[in-house]
Amino acid sequence: MFFEKTVLPNGTTIISEQMGSVRSIALGIWFSVGSRDEEPAEAGMSHFLEHMMFKGTSVRSARDISEEFDRLGAEINAFTSKEYTCYYARFVDEHLDRAFSILSDMVTDAALDNAACESEREVVIEEIARMEDTPDDQIHEIFSRVLWPTHPIGLPVLGDKESVATFDHGRSTAFRAKHYLSGNCVVAAAGNVSHDELVALTKKYLTGIPHGERIGRPAVKESGSSNLAVLEKETEQAHICYGLATMDANHPDRFALSLFDAVLGGGMSSRLFQEIREKRGLAYAVYSFSALYQDTGEFAVYVGTRPSNAEEVVGLIASEVERIASDGVLPEELDRVQQALKGHLVLGMESTRMRMTRLGKNEVVGGEILSTNEIMARVDAVTMDDIRRVSEEVLSKQKVLAVIGPFSADQFAGAV
C-alpha cells in the first residue's frame, strides 16, 4: 500500500504518504463538516468558522499565527466545501513539529471572541457581495440550487448575508463543539514525513479536540428539481449553466464519466470548445465539469456569451449533448482524453499538497484511495461501450438550465 494509516482510540485518523525524494511536507487537518451539514439558521457557518480559526487563540494572536508561519517559510491556508473543511500548511520537513503545533492550536483553541466575530462577519459578507458581483461564480450557486432545491448539497458554501450577520461567539462555539470532534478529524500528510512521527505529534497536539464518534451523514433523497432559473441582471455577458444530477463520488462508472466530460468540454480540443468558440466564435469561456459527492453529483456545461447569442448557445449545447449520447465517441477521442487524463494525474502527483489533498479528502468522506497506477489502470479500462452506456444513462435525466443576464424566464421556457 502506498500510504500508511492509523486510527487512534478516540477515532482521529492519521494518514500519510512518504515521498523521500522531496524536502517538503504538506500537512492538513481535515474535519467532516461542510455546508451540507448546516441547519438553515447556520447557513455559511462552516466557512465562517474556517475564517475564525486564523483570528487568534488563547496563546497566539492572529498576527502571531501569520508571523510564525512566515518565519518557517511556510504556506498556510484553508478551504471549506460542501462536505469538508481543511486547514493546511506546506513547509520544509525540519519544521514539522512547529507547524503541527500551530495548526493544532488554531483548530483546538481558537478564541472565537465576539470582537473578532463581528469584524469577520463583515469580511464574509463582503465575500458574498463579491461573489454576487461575479456572475461567472454566482451562476454555479444558482445552478446548484435549482438542481437540488431541497437537498442540502444545493446550499451555498458561503451561506447568505442574513445568516452570517447573526454569527457570534456563542453560535460559533456551539457549532465547533458539535462538529469538531475527534471522530470527525483526519490528519493527512505527504512528503518527507515519518508516519510514526505524525502519529506521535497527533497524540501530543490534538488532545484538545473533544471526543466524539464520526457523525453519520445519511443519504438524502431529492424530492425533485425544477428545470429553469433565470436571474435578470444587466450584464455584458450571459452566463449559462446547463446540466443535470448524476452519480455519486464512489460510483464505479465515475472514470467513464470523467472521460465523457473530457470529450464534451474538458479542454481546447473538446467538442464544445471547438464548436462554440473555435468554429463559431460565440464564447471565450466554455467548458464542462462534474462535481461528485457522497450521495449525488452534478454534470454541467458553463458558457459565457453575449446576450444576443445566448439562445443559440443553449441550443448548441443541447444538440451536442444529445449527439454524444446517441452516437457515442470516436476511438481517437477516447484515446486522446485517456492520455490527457493520465498526464494531468501524473503531473499533479508531483505536488506534495495534491497528494495530501487526495489522501485527506477521500479519507474524510469515506472515498476509495487509489494509487496513481491504479487510477491510470481504471482510466485505461474504460471502453467506448462504457462511454456510450454512461452517457445514455446520465443524459437521460431531466436537464436543468440556469442563466444570468438581461432576460426574462419566458425566453428560455422551451430550452429544457
Side-chain angles (χ1 to χ4, degrees), residues 170-182:
R171 301 192 66 184
S172 300
T173 301
F175 190 85
R176 178 176 63 182
K178 180 180 178 181
H179 294 283
Y180 278 57
L181 305 174
S182 58

Side-chain angles (χ1 to χ4, degrees), residues 91-107:
F91 44 84
V92 178
D93 52 13
E94 64 192 46
H95 298 315
L96 174 60
D97 188 296
R98 189 64 177 162
F100 202 121
S101 71
I102 304 169
L103 270 183
S104 300
D105 185 38
M106 291 166 57
V107 301

